[in-house]
């Protein structure tokens, strides 16, 4: 471990840099391997989708920077997101981790005035909200409008899905031609993914020297896809019809050879992850007979570590991870009860759960969530002891799965853990005081409560911390409120 004293720009404040890979959340983040010529604006741009940046110290000679977010919640969301989608600046991967500093101290007023100007500009441009100064996941829309300029090679819906899914869960895509330009509308599960994809991909070329992406936020809040075919796709609705398609002699104005767009299979740059032409400026030769779109990672099993063996249970992990996908099986390891395996329905759900829950606190411990090498979670054999049988549970047929219904609204309401919970399925007979008492009786500190004006079956309830909200969700999701209605609990992106 290196320990170096480095001064800030004005030399009046000194920061002791003594950082290792930190897993304890902090509002201060440490950024490493930055390009030599990086600007303050570029550093701050990485953080703006997640909230306001309070302070910034750049250490150009070390290719590092420290930034302090307005809240620890914003910092946790940022670290969790970039853990599964590391950012790149000028083809250089940037590493982001928690700092062992809790706050930054600097007297560099010029630097801080510049930072304030960047934050203010971001709020006015719609790139960030400033709700009570706290870092929340904002962005104008989860839907992006994409124009592909200089269309020398055909661009397919599958190519767009592969490129953009590197930044988050893609729910829907609609492609069309307007003003002789190939365009698309693409909806992510969360606006923060759209924000990061736009910041990273706008102006990039899909293939060398052509097929340039121009990306803006759409005014639409969601897409309505009627057919699953070559021009539109709803990845949450496998049951949609294909509809009537005209025989395609061209693809978006580009004539295709008999073997179609398969003549131009994309290969991907080792640093940026973006497709590049196999032979710059020319067609791929010899042509391949099928477009080999790289399949998503096959990992659907997660390894969860640093659990509290005395308090964790398969049901507890099923409820928590079930916020981000349909959990099939959970196994707490018999000889290492601080570790567990959680099997999700597919790789996309596993990625979502990992990006949102890695680094969160559960039962007082900062948990680590990574992809497991196991393809499935094995059930105990017949001769296993009672304790081992109890530590492994199969939830494949559970009625509590949130995403088993095609087109469920739950696909559009996936948010990082937050101190504010969204309550739904509330009977008309249950009052505000009854709900507040329900949470208080379990030891949770209710800070605020509000019924939805247009639908009293839903409400927002704010607790003292994100950790407390996680515990409350586990304890009270599916709690019976009357003889046939059970409370539904999820995380909210709103505050009261």
């Amino acid at each position: 471990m290196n320990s170096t004293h480095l001064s800030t720009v004005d030399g009046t404040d000194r920061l002791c840099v003594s950082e290792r890979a930190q897993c304890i959340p902090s509002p201060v983040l440490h950024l490493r391997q930055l390009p030599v010529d990086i600007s303050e604006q570029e550093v701050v741009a990485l953080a703006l989708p997640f909230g306001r940046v309070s302070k910034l110290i750049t250490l150009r000679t070390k290719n590092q920077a420290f930034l302090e977010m307005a809240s620890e919640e914003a910092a946790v969301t940022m670290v969790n997101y970039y853990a599964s989608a590391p950012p790149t600046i000028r083809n250089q991967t940037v590493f982001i981790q928690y700092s062992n500093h809790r706050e930054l101290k600097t007297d560099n007023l010029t630097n801080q005035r510049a930072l304030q100007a960047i934050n203010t500009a971001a709020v006015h441009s719609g790139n960030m909200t400033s709700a009570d100064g706290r870092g929340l996941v904002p962005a104008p829309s989860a839907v992006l409008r994409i124009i592909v300029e200089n269309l020398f090679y055909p661009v397919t819906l599958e190519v767009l899905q592969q490129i953009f899914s590197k930044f988050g869960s893609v729910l829907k895509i609609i492609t069309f031609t307007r003003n002789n330009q190939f365009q698309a509308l693409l909806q992510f599960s969360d606006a923060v993914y759209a924000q990061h994809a736009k910041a990273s991909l706008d102006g990039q070329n899909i293939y060398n020297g052509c097929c340039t992406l121009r990306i803006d936020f759409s005014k639409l809040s969601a897409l309505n896809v009627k057919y699953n075919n070559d021009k539109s796709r709803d990845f949450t609705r496998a049951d949609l019809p294909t509809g009537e398609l005209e025989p395609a002699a061209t693809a978006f104005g580009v004539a295709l050879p008999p073997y179609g767009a398969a003549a131009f299979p994309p290969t991907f740059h080792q640093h940026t992850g973006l497709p590049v032409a196999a032979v710059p400026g020319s067609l791929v030769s010899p042509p391949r007979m099928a477009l080999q779109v790289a399949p998503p990672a096959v990992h659907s099993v997660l390894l969860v570590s640093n659990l509290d063996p005395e308090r964790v249970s398969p049901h507890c992990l099923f409820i928590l991870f079930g916020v981000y996908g349909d959990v099939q099986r959970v196994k707490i390891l018999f000889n290492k009860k601080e570790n567990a395996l959680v099997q999700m329905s597919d790789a996309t759900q596993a990625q979502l759960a990992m990006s949102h829950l890695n680094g969160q606190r559960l039962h007082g411990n900062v948990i680590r969530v990574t992809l497991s090498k196991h393809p499935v979670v094995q059930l105990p054999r017949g001769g296993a002891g009672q304790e081992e049988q109890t530590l492994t549970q199969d939830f494949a047929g559970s009625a509590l799965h949130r995403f088993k219904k095609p087109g469920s609204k739950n696909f559009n309401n996936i948010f990082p853990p937050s101190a504010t919970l969204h309550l739904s399925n509330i009977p008309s007979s249950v009052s505000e005081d009854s709900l507040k008492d329900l949470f208080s009786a379990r030891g949770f500190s209710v800070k605020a409560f509000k019924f939805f004006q247009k639908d009293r079956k839903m409400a927002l309830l704010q607790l003292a911390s994100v950790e407390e909200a996680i515990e409350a969700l586990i304890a009270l999701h599916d709690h019976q409120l009357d003889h046939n209605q059970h409370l539904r609990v999820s995380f909210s992106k709103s505050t009261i």
Side-chain angles (χ1 to χ4, degrees), residues 126 189 453 456:
S189 61
Q453 287 186 345
R456 203 185 166 282

Side-chain angles (χ1 to χ4, degrees), residues 111-160:
N111 181 293
Q112 299 314 309
R113 287 194 194 102
L115 181 59
Q116 184 177 4
I118 295 170
N119 278 315
T120 303
V123 171
H124 289 311
S125 65
N127 288 340
M128 182 188 77
T129 56
S130 57
D132 66 13
R134 301 179 55 185
L136 298 174
V137 179
S141 171
V143 179
L144 295 176
R145 182 173 67 92
I146 303 158
I147 297 174
V148 182
E149 296 179 347
N150 193 15
L151 192 69
F152 187 74
Y153 297 152
V155 173
T156 65
L157 182 148
E158 285 80 8
V159 168
L160 291 177

Side-chain angles (χ1 to χ4, degrees), residues 117 195 250 296 346 483:
Q195 177 85 28
T250 63
D346 57 44
H483 64 285

Side-chain angles (χ1 to χ4, degrees), residues 398-469:
S398 174
L400 293 183
H401 284 164
R402 298 175 187 249
F403 305 99
K404 63 182 178 181
K405 183 179 177 181
S408 168
K409 291 182 179 178
N410 291 332
F411 282 103
N412 296 321
N413 293 292
I414 299 173
F415 303 112
S418 65
T420 305
L421 295 174
H422 180 275
L423 312 181
S424 60
N425 205 37
I426 303 170
S428 57
S429 59
V430 175
S431 66
E432 174 180 335
D433 288 341
S434 298
L435 288 168
K436 289 161 73 172
D437 289 345
L438 173 66
F439 282 80
S440 299
R442 299 293 184 102
F444 303 118
S445 303
V446 178
K447 299 298 182 183
F449 181 95
K450 183 175 72 173
F451 274 115
F452 279 54
Q453 287 186 345
K454 295 182 179 179
D455 188 353
R456 203 185 166 282
K457 293 179 181 178
M458 297 190 291
L460 295 178
L461 181 139
Q462 191 168 323
L463 297 175
S465 66
V466 176
E467 182 180 2
E468 195 168 288

Side-chain angles (χ1 to χ4, degrees), residues 198-245:
K198 178 183 183 299
S200 300
L201 296 177
D202 188 28
Q204 294 269 15
N205 293 332
I206 296 178
Y207 302 107
N208 280 351
C210 67
C211 300
T212 306
L213 293 168
R214 302 297 180 197
I215 305 172
D216 285 304
F217 292 106
S218 170
K219 294 179 181 178
L220 300 172
S221 58
L223 298 180
N224 181 23
V225 175
K226 296 181 180 179
Y227 303 111
N228 282 340
N229 53 42
D230 290 341
K231 294 186 177 180
S232 63
R233 194 76 49 85
D234 184 338
F235 297 98
T236 70
R237 294 281 307 274
D239 59 321
L240 288 180
T242 59
E244 298 267 333
L245 273 182

Side-chain angles (χ1 to χ4, degrees), residues 203-455:
Q204 294 269 15
N205 293 332
I206 296 178
Y207 302 107
N208 280 351
C210 67
C211 300
T212 306
L213 293 168
R214 302 297 180 197
I215 305 172
D216 285 304
F217 292 106
S218 170
K219 294 179 181 178
L220 300 172
S221 58
L223 298 180
N224 181 23
V225 175
K226 296 181 180 179
Y227 303 111
N228 282 340
N229 53 42
D230 290 341
K231 294 186 177 180
S232 63
R233 194 76 49 85
D234 184 338
F235 297 98
T236 70
R237 294 281 307 274
D239 59 321
L240 288 180
T242 59
E244 298 267 333
L245 273 182
E246 297 178 7
T250 63
F252 315 120
V254 178
L256 296 182
Y259 40 82
F264 316 111
T267 56
F268 290 83
H269 193 282
Q270 62 176 333
H271 298 301
T272 66
L274 291 172
V276 295
V279 182
S282 66
L283 305 186
V284 174
S285 179
R288 301 180 188 178
M289 294 306 295
L291 176 64
Q292 298 297 323
V293 176
V298 294
H299 301 281
S300 60
V301 178
L302 298 169
L303 172 64
V304 189
S305 52
N306 202 35
L307 296 164
D308 182 346
E310 301 299 321
R311 301 180 64 186
V312 73
S313 68
H315 178 77
C316 149
L317 295 176
F318 165 69
I319 295 296
L320 177 58
F321 282 75
V323 174
Y324 301 104
D326 293 336
V327 176
Q328 301 301 302
R329 293 176 180 177
V330 177
K331 176 193 284 288
I332 296 174
L333 303 189
F334 182 73
N335 294 321
K336 291 184 177 181
K337 293 187 176 66
E338 67 275 11
N339 296 330
L341 296 174
V342 178
Q343 182 178 335
M344 309 297 289
S345 286
D346 57 44
T348 299
Q349 292 182 0
Q351 286 284 348
L352 272 175
M354 181 174 69
S355 65
H356 287 309
L357 294 177
N358 182 44
Q360 297 289 349
R361 285 187 178 273
L362 176 63
H363 303 139
N365 291 3
V366 177
I367 63 172
R368 179 164 171 74
V369 184
T370 58
L371 292 172
S372 169
K373 296 178 181 178
H374 297 279
V376 294
V377 171
Q378 299 287 350
L379 295 175
R381 296 175 182 175
Q386 180 62 39
E387 183 182 7
E388 191 173 350
Q389 296 272 7
T390 306
L391 292 175
T392 304
Q393 289 191 26
D394 189 341
F395 296 99
S398 174
L400 293 183
H401 284 164
R402 298 175 187 249
F403 305 99
K404 63 182 178 181
K405 183 179 177 181
S408 168
K409 291 182 179 178
N410 291 332
F411 282 103
N412 296 321
N413 293 292
I414 299 173
F415 303 112
S418 65
T420 305
L421 295 174
H422 180 275
L423 312 181
S424 60
N425 205 37
I426 303 170
S428 57
S429 59
V430 175
S431 66
E432 174 180 335
D433 288 341
S434 298
L435 288 168
K436 289 161 73 172
D437 289 345
L438 173 66
F439 282 80
S440 299
R442 299 293 184 102
F444 303 118
S445 303
V446 178
K447 299 298 182 183
F449 181 95
K450 183 175 72 173
F451 274 115
F452 279 54
Q453 287 186 345
K454 295 182 179 179
D455 188 353

